[in-house]
Amino acid sequence: MSTPATPSPRPVPGGEIVVIFGGRSEIGLAVAQRLADGRTVVLATRPGRDVSALAAPLVAAGAVAVETMDFDADDLDSHVRVVEDIESRIGEISIAVLAFGILGDQEVAERDAAAAARILHTDFVAQAALLTVLAERMKPRGRGVLVAFSSVAGQRVRRANYVYGSAKAGLDGFASGMADALHGTGVTVVIPRPGFVIGRMTEGMDPAPFSSTADQVADAVVSRVTSRRAGVVWIPWQLRVMFAVARLVPQPVWRRMPR
């Protein structure tokens, strides 16, 4: 159900419509805050979550309106309905940010096939499914931006987190192929490839070299989104050089690379 964040029961949307799929994500909210000015922001979150407090910072950042929608990423059959509901109730999706995902427990996933499957399903299968639904809506219009979060963990899948890393590797390949397929259509696919991000998802873990914050990731993402530049963006940029050099040196060096 759509819930307005302003006092009126049905705010009048305006400007481009930004949808954050995974609307409670720290990175997703940081991106939304930077894109809010003059736009309508939709926070698509798991049913039953109270996200009313998340609207105020977006309104303060200049959002024309902030609305919430129920969205369960793992329910693939619901993706088309959710997208159609947003576009019929609020308007055409201009920018879609896929900010949902789970880190999971590597040790559990190594022993429990269901746990491994859950990580792969949320971090790869559900992302690929939603990207496909959104791309099919945007292609006939000849416009739109899709943001799919990859990770350096998928650039060289390591012993420490190979289940999560393999999911990100799959998503990275899928999104990169989609970006190529959509070239010339007017639809832009942005693929952020951050290293270790300090935040709720990594709480209690030791930060890796070249770590970043949600704000730093959001700054890099929004720069690409607003300029409509497709493709991969390394965050921070030094990781691109680091990985290029690492490919030329012996295998043990990879084990010391950031997660």
Side-chain angles (χ1 to χ4, degrees), residues 4-241:
T6 57
S8 61
R10 288 295 304 159
V12 179
E16 292 184 318
I17 294 174
V18 179
V19 183
I20 310 296
F21 292 95
R24 295 177 67 251
S25 156
E26 286 177 288
I27 294 175
L29 287 168
V31 170
Q33 191 161 8
R34 286 157 175 76
L35 291 174
D37 193 22
R39 296 181 172 96
T40 294
V41 178
V42 181
L43 302 178
T45 64
R46 280 185 177 275
R49 303 293 177 91
D50 182 7
V51 294
S52 56
L54 303 180
L58 300 177
V59 172
V64 176
V66 180
E67 302 208 6
T68 62
M69 300 287 292
D70 287 345
F71 170 66
D72 182 352
D74 289 322
D75 182 4
L76 305 187
D77 291 338
S78 73
H79 289 187
V80 171
R81 176 183 53 77
V82 170
V83 172
E84 288 179 346
D85 197 17
I86 292 171
E87 296 210 323
S88 64
R89 295 188 186 196
I90 304 169
E92 174 187 308
I93 297 173
S94 306
I95 302 168
V97 181
L98 279 62
F100 60 88
I102 57 174
L103 187 59
D105 187 316
Q106 172 67 31
E107 292 186 7
V108 173
E110 288 181 24
R111 304 187 306 270
D112 184 342
R118 280 193 294 272
I119 297 171
L120 295 169
H121 189 271
T122 301
D123 292 344
F124 177 34
V125 176
Q127 306 261 353
L130 182 57
L131 284 170
T132 301
V133 170
L134 291 163
E136 286 304 297
R137 302 284 292 196
M138 292 178 173
K139 277 193 296 186
R141 300 194 285 245
R143 57 185 174 273
V145 180
L146 300 171
V147 179
F149 281 93
S150 177
S151 168
V152 297
Q155 294 309 292
R156 175 60 170 167
V157 180
R158 304 176 308 129
R159 165 69 181 84
N161 60 352
Y162 68 78
V163 179
Y164 172 80
S166 61
K168 286 298 186 181
L171 177 60
D172 192 289
F174 184 93
S176 296
M178 175 175 276
D180 290 344
L182 293 174
H183 179 72
T185 66
V187 180
T188 302
V189 181
V190 178
I191 310 167
R193 199 180 277 168
F196 188 101
V197 180
I198 301 169
R200 283 198 311 261
M201 193 172 181
T202 56
E203 189 173 355
M205 300 171 65
D206 293 330
F210 297 107
S211 296
S212 57
T213 65
D215 286 332
Q216 289 171 323
V217 173
D219 285 340
V221 170
V222 170
S223 175
R224 283 296 190 95
V225 168
T226 54
S227 64
R228 298 305 198 257
R229 285 187 295 144
V232 172
V233 51
W234 292 80
I235 308 165
W237 64 266
Q238 290 92 336
L239 286 174
R240 180 175 185 175
V241 177

